[in-house]
């Protein structure tokens, strides 16, 4: 059975030596000293290793079940959720006015990786609650906030997001769910929603559904969509729970993975709902927390790669099979461990260099969100908006691929459910799909974000890389191992962006046909940049005699691998992009 | 629920216009005229669409169950297997002396793709039988052949291959199973074998296990391994079935996929076995049919990509979502079909260009096996030996990736088991693992096959491509769209091979650290070569006025996509390879 240990040391390195969190001029960051973040991360790691991770396989095997309209979670989930609540984890970065701890997003992003690595399906219950909390916090009336937020911050009540309907996923303008205004200012919600994660369960007293629906007579399509708060139990004026609302779980979906989470078909049959924000501005309300939510999904993808990698390393060191081609490494044993074989190392280095680079990328992006929110920093906001589809698309695609690599190291045992490696691939798979399928992320990146703000955000990004290279260019080892490859990759990214600008205006297909490759090209440049920054930090620590030489040397070695063996993907992506739209679009539909 | 239609037209194109089968000077190929192969392929397609494909999801959902020592297959499998037998499909390419039809391997490879696409788990029962048949046919005594082969050719009895033990997979030298010689010339087999596909079931009268075991006192390690025939029921001298042998199913594994196939733990408890071939030469006997078996697994990987692609196309045409960026394509409907979106086309073209190129590669390789066997052609044998790890490793890796792409097109529905797309990914996954995990294929390619025969096979391959390019170089359109990219990719492959030669002798890790990339680089060059050959054939047909212009134009368009959008992967692989062993091997084991 797989195990999990939180990468606290690596997170501390990123927070304090790469991002230098406590030195940043961001409100709340001065609290983030080494000891404080270490305490939080270690505590999150402890409950994850001891409580959440052991329930991961149980959740996968048992799944959830719907009996007489009630959803039952797997054995142990309820008690674990109580521990999660009691530990105060739910409100870590929530508004203190409603009982949260008000800590920066960069820290909750780190704990989020830890919790998801231990048990992604479990962590989706509080995760969805947090999404609903954010929407109500941003758009709710004072009464709504007072009514719902304290209970959601504590996770006594959980939340959901209801967007998809059977005939509409990405294209929400096709929505059919209706919201009819009532005399008392409330609405009657009617319609069917599908793929509702954490839609119902037995771990909280109430479920607060956020539901997109159309008010009759409003504008056509996406412009006529409004957002509603629809509680499972009506909340009375005194805050106590009243009648059951007219909503029910129609079905639980049988999925490839995340079996421990209840993915529900939700039927609304004239349920009482309360308008959240303005009429017909539902999409705007929904998109408010999009950067955070998509970053969160990116971290989920990464998290599965992390736990899969940890277990692959253990197996590669334990399993004796074959002899090293350069001579026996374990001559007294019947065979050498798998890890002596070059191709096993190639796989492990792919995983390790991704996982650590992606972690830095995720935490850096979270720090930009903090800067955007806490400092009202428009530049940071522009940059993180640009990065969001990259974090989501690249980290989940690559994270999934890494779980497959990790599974492969187990050979036949990787395919047997008992060993637990299959679950990581199956759970990771959903991250490429939900919260906007990755093709939609690529479209968002190339079709919207690249041109946003007159292209200033990506210019700022390129400038940041350029000045970083200039600043550190005198270190020859850094230059050849990190800065030159980064410079080259960054040029390839600019070349691709230039191709889009020159050709995409006349024919948008010239840009969109290359959007997926562009998202991956962008991701590689970001991870290359992170590795260069980590290399600078590691070299500084070594020069300063910071101790733990092996840790910093390992950083440099792993980073060199990324630059030498992963960045060459950029050449492939730019070649695909600049081959243009014709190869992609030439075939008539009938001939597929 | 997914459907399946056999790609008969495409197979006919490859067999008759690309490989020109019936014109080849190979015994038996003169029978392969257009009408004959069309009749066989259409018949195989019909039973696959009507009988095998509808059982695919049922097999996945029900799985097999072990009750009182007996394995029960899913509903409908037994009747379908009867139809398979009655159709004479089992013995298509088997020796007529034992009831087979003696048809060339190239044809059974095509029908194999069809059957596996329809229901891979089901098709593994006859597939394993065929493997056991081949081993007995090549190494059995006359009595053994007369006793076992006729019933195996008809699939009245099925077969298995027993190699793996809990502590040894790839490294079979660690084997513990024992074979103790008895006075009557038989052996008593004792030990536990795992991952035994089709290990037991209720669809045949007898199961003929081929079991690797060590005769006490023999050489250490892999050189002391012998192969035994161990029937479930002892076969009496008159051919009738006698006592139950001392073997049993210890357990059925819970796997990620191929649920319809019984993957058994087999316990041998002094079971009666008969030596197949010579003492201690078990591995040689096992490897006789390795090229065929690995080609077969490569075709399985392809097959799942084929059926996934077919269904992805259907969904992309049916599902209405969003509007084409260049203007509505379905203005009267609520939205345009998915297929109008450039990124959906990018995905479909990736799939289509892989599937058709890989099919040509598989059938070409099968034709080389025929030439090697039927003409005793050492050059063909050398070439197909070289290609075998590429077919197995590249087609299964890429085949799997394509099933994931196809699943992605379904968005959230792809993740729901009811839609059937998840199963294709889960079934395809095993093909990367069994019959030698793909890392082992890469090792075989670079560590063994490249140097085999003094490197003559790859020189012959490069020469073949070179003269092909020379022969067709005067067609400008062909040159720019196909031959130039092929030439470039072929050069990159040679550059990589040269790097191995120059550096691998001093330090084998320099070669093995790049082995996986080399396998993929090689695969891309092979598919590029196939696409160039298909382009020549399509152009000829168009020039000859062969009719069905759309089919041939589609070939050219799809091929151009492969050359423009897939071959650029070669640049990435060669860069990774030539970065050498150091990035891969530098990290101390303790620091992973």
């Amino acid at each position: 059975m797989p195990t999990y240990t939180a990468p606290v040391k690596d997170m501390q390195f990123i927070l304090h030596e790469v991002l230098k969190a406590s030195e940043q001029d961001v409100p709340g960051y001065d609290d983030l000293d080494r000891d404080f973040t270490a305490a939080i991360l270690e505590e999150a790691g402890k409950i994850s290793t001891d409580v959440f991770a052991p329930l991961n396989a149980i959740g996968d095997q048992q799944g959830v079940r719907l009996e007489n309209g009630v959803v039952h979670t797997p054995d142990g989930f309820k008690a674990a959720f109580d521990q999660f609540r009691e530990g105060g984890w739910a409100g870590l970065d929530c508004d203190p006015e409603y009982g949260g701890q008000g800590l920066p997003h960069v820290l909750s992003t780190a704990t989020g990786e830890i919790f998801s690595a231990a048990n992604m399906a479990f962590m989706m219950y509080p995760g969805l609650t947090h999404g609903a909390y954010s929407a109500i916090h941003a758009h709710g009336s004072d009464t709504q906030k007072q009514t719902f937020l304290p209970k959601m911050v504590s996770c006594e009540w959980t939340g959901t997001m209801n967007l998809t309907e059977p005939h509409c996923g990405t294209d929400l303008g096709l929505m059919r769910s209706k919201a009819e205004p009532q005399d008392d200012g409330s609405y009657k919600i009617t319609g069917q929603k599908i793929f509702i994660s954490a839609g119902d369960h037995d771990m909280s007293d109430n479920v607060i559904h956020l539901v997109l629906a159309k008010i009759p007579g409003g504008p056509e399509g996406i412009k006529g969509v409004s957002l509603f708060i629809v509680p499972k139990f009506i909340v009375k004026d005194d805050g106590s729970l009243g009648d059951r609302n007219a909503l029910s779980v129609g079905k639980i979906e049988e999925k490839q993975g995340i079996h421990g989470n209840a993915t529900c078909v939700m039927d609304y049959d004239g349920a009482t709902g309360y308008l959240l924000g303005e009429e017909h501005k539902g999409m705007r309300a929904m998109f408010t927390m999009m950067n955070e939510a998509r970053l969160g999904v990116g971290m989920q993808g990464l998290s599965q790669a992390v736990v899969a990698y940890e277990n692959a390393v253990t197996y590669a060191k334990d399993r004796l099979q074959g002899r090293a081609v350069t001579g026996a490494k374990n001559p007294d044993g019947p065979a050498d461990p798998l890890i002596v074989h070059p191709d096993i190392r190639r796989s492990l280095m792919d995983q390790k260099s991704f996982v650590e680079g992606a972690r830095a990328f995720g935490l850096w992006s979270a720090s930009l969100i903090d800067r955007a929110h806490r400092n009202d920093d428009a530049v940071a906001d522009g940059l993180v908006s640009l990065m969001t589809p990259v974090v989501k698309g690249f980290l989940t695609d690559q994270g999934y691929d890494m779980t497959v690599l990790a599974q492969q190291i187990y050979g036949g045992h990787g395919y047997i459910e008992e060993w637990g490696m299959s679950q990581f691939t199956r759970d990771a798979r959903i991250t490429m799909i939900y919260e906007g399928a990755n093709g939609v992320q690529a479209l968002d990146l190339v079709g919207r974000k690249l041109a946003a703000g007159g292209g200033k955000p990506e210019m700022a990004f390129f400038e940041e890389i350029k000045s970083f290279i200039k600043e550190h260019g005198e270190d020859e080892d850094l230059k050849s191992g990190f800065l030159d490859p980064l410079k080259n990759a960054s040029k390839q990214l600019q070349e691709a962006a230039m191709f889009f600008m020159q050709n995409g205006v006349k024919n948008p297909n010239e840009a969109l046909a290359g959007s997926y490759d562009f998202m991956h090209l962008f991701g590689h440049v970001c991870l290359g940049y992170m590795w260069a920054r980590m290399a600078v930090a590691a070299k500084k620590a070594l020069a300063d005699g910071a101790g733990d030489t092996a840790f910093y040397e390992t950083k440099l070695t792993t980073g060199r691998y990324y630059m030498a063996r992963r960045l060459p993907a950029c050449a492939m992506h730019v070649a695909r992009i600049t081959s243009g739209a014709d190869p992609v679009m030439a075939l008539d539909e009938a001939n597929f």
Side-chain angles (χ1 to χ4, degrees), chain A:
Chain A
M1 204 43 74
T3 57
Y4 172 67
T5 308
V8 173
K9 194 171 183 174
D10 199 49
M11 289 177 167
Q12 286 281 88
F13 169 71
I14 295 167
L15 288 175
H16 301 292
E17 295 172 64
V18 182
L19 300 179
K20 300 191 170 76
S22 60
E23 298 171 26
Q24 300 304 307
D25 182 25
V26 179
Y29 268 48
D30 47 350
D31 289 339
L32 298 182
D33 66 51
R34 269 186 181 270
D35 289 347
F36 178 73
T37 61
I40 298 271
L41 297 174
E42 273 159 23
E43 207 53 43
K46 192 167 156 25
I47 194 173
S48 294
T49 299
D50 297 346
V51 180
F52 306 145
L55 293 174
N56 196 42
I58 292 169
D60 188 53
Q61 286 149 18
Q62 293 187 0
V64 296
R65 57 180 211 287
L66 178 64
E67 274 176 17
N68 304 321
V70 180
V71 174
H72 298 270
T73 51
D75 293 348
F77 268 42
K78 199 169 182 333
F81 200 53
D82 286 340
Q83 283 190 258
F84 182 81
R85 268 191 286 251
E86 284 156 19
W89 295 110
L92 203 69
D93 63 359
C94 293
D95 189 342
E97 199 178 328
Y98 305 102
Q101 299 183 50
L103 288 166
H105 191 56
V106 73
L107 192 60
S108 62
T109 299
T111 56
E113 182 203 307
I114 293 174
F115 294 141
S116 285
N119 195 327
M120 184 172 134
F122 175 80
M123 205 44 52
M124 288 171 66
Y125 294 99
L128 269 297
T129 307
H130 195 282
Y133 153 86
S134 297
I136 296 174
H137 190 265
H139 300 282
S141 65
D142 280 346
T143 311
Q144 287 174 337
K145 290 197 223 182
Q146 293 300 341
T147 306
F148 296 106
L149 293 188
K151 298 280 191 184
M152 293 175 78
V153 166
S154 67
C155 267
E156 284 168 90
W157 299 350
T158 58
T160 72
M161 315 289 271
N162 291 238
L163 289 78
T164 308
E165 299 181 7
H167 62 289
C168 72
T170 301
D171 189 353
L172 290 168
L174 303 174
M175 187 171 295
R176 290 180 194 146
S177 290
K178 292 264 169 298
E180 289 172 293
Q182 306 297 303
D183 292 343
D184 64 355
S186 72
Y187 292 77
K188 289 281 178 217
I189 313 290
T190 305
Q192 188 179 63
K193 294 287 180 178
I194 63 170
F195 304 157
I196 308 309
S197 298
D200 193 56
H201 56 89
D202 53 6
M203 303 192 296
S204 70
D205 299 331
N206 203 359
V207 181
I208 312 303
H209 300 284
L210 296 196
V211 182
L212 286 177
K214 286 183 171 176
I215 300 169
E220 285 292 299
I222 198 72
K223 290 178 182 162
V225 168
S226 307
L227 185 59
F228 299 89
I229 301 173
V230 189
K232 177 177 170 182
F233 290 101
I234 301 292
V235 181
K236 292 195 272 194
D237 289 344
D238 65 357
S240 67
L241 296 185
D243 293 342
R244 184 77 148 80
N245 208 344
L247 59 91
S248 59
V249 179
K251 184 186 170 188
I252 291 188
E253 303 282 7
E254 297 289 336
K255 309 180 299 290
Q256 185 173 358
I258 50 167
H259 294 158
N261 199 276
T263 306
C264 300
V265 173
M266 296 299 304
D267 293 319
Y268 295 90
D269 190 20
T272 299
Y274 313 101
L275 183 68
L276 178 59
E278 295 174 51
E279 271 191 6
H280 315 316
K281 306 281 185 198
M283 291 310 293
R284 208 178 63 183
M286 213 69 187
F287 272 90
T288 306
M289 60 282 181
M290 202 54 97
N291 288 346
E292 278 174 62
R294 290 185 168 175
L295 170 61
V297 175
M299 295 305 283
Q300 285 182 331
L302 163 62
S303 76
Q304 297 308 292
V306 171
V307 64
Y309 165 72
E310 282 189 10
N311 286 281
V313 168
T314 304
Y315 191 80
K317 288 181 178 179
D318 285 353
R319 175 86 171 172
L320 304 180
Q321 209 79 180
R323 289 293 184 193
V325 68
T326 51
K329 292 283 180 354
N330 176 33
D332 298 336
D336 289 343
L338 284 181
I339 200 168
V340 305
H341 302 301
D343 189 59
I344 296 289
R345 277 174 178 269
R346 182 266 318 163
S347 167
L348 290 176
M349 290 302 292
D350 274 359
Q351 294 171 58
K352 183 174 171 62
S353 65
F354 167 74
V355 153
E356 296 176 12
R359 178 175 296 131
F361 183 36
L363 294 180
W364 177 55
S365 300
S367 77
L368 291 173
I369 291 180
D370 280 330
R371 195 174 276 281
H373 288 183
R374 291 171 179 246
N375 297 30
D376 270 329
D377 181 334
V379 174
D381 191 55
L383 194 51
V384 80
S385 289
L386 174 68
M387 292 300 169
T388 294
V390 182
V391 175
K392 199 282 184 179
F394 184 71
L395 263 52
T396 59
D397 274 2
Q398 297 264 322
Y400 173 72
D401 285 350
M402 296 303 151
T403 63
V404 174
L405 284 184
Q407 177 189 31
Q408 185 75 9
I409 286 180
Y410 279 66
H413 296 105
Y415 200 62
I416 308 296
E417 292 294 353
E418 190 184 339
W419 289 76
M421 299 304 285
S422 158
Q423 187 188 351
F424 300 134
T425 72
R426 291 184 291 98
D427 286 359
R429 184 68 184 87
I430 191 59
T431 64
M432 298 155 70
I433 299 173
Y434 64 19
E435 200 63 38
N438 286 357
V440 176
Q441 302 298 329
L443 176 66
D444 179 47
L445 175 64
V446 171
R448 194 176 304 145
K449 298 296 174 63
L450 264 191
K456 271 189 200 152
E458 71 260 26
M459 294 311 294
F461 177 65
F462 290 133
E463 274 308 311
E464 180 170 338
I465 290 181
K466 205 170 148 189
S467 64
F468 175 85
I469 291 173
K470 201 171 163 193
E471 186 184 345
H472 300 284
E474 281 175 22
D475 180 333
E476 269 308 314
D477 175 58
L478 204 60
K479 186 171 179 304
S480 63
F482 292 88
L483 303 180
D484 287 348
L486 174 61
K487 192 173 175 179
N488 189 39
S490 171
K491 268 191 189 160
Q492 287 166 324
L493 183 62
Q494 291 178 65
E495 185 190 337
M498 190 63 74
F499 178 86
F500 291 158
M501 270 191 276
Q502 287 170 345
N503 301 280
V505 179
K506 238 186 313 180
N507 178 4
N509 287 341
E510 291 288 345
L512 298 184
S515 59
Y516 212 87
D517 282 281
F518 189 78
M519 180 172 77
H520 277 259
L521 174 52
F522 210 143
H524 279 298
V525 172
C526 290
L527 261 60
Y529 176 45
M530 290 299 114
W531 271 115
R533 287 181 63 171
M534 290 195 280
V536 167
K539 283 191 158 242
K540 183 174 183 311
L542 287 168
D544 293 351
D548 204 350
T549 317
F551 177 83
Y552 296 110
E553 292 287 4
T554 296
K555 272 285 160 216
L556 291 168
T557 305
T558 309
R560 282 192 199 101
Y561 181 90
Y562 197 88
M563 309 312 273
R565 290 249 170 183
R566 303 295 294 167
L567 275 194
C570 296
M572 173 184 73
H573 291 303
V574 80
R576 286 173 58 111
I577 289 165
T578 55
S579 76
D582 190 54
V584 177
M585 304 303 292
L587 203 58
D588 193 83
E589 268 180 45
N591 295 324
F592 276 91

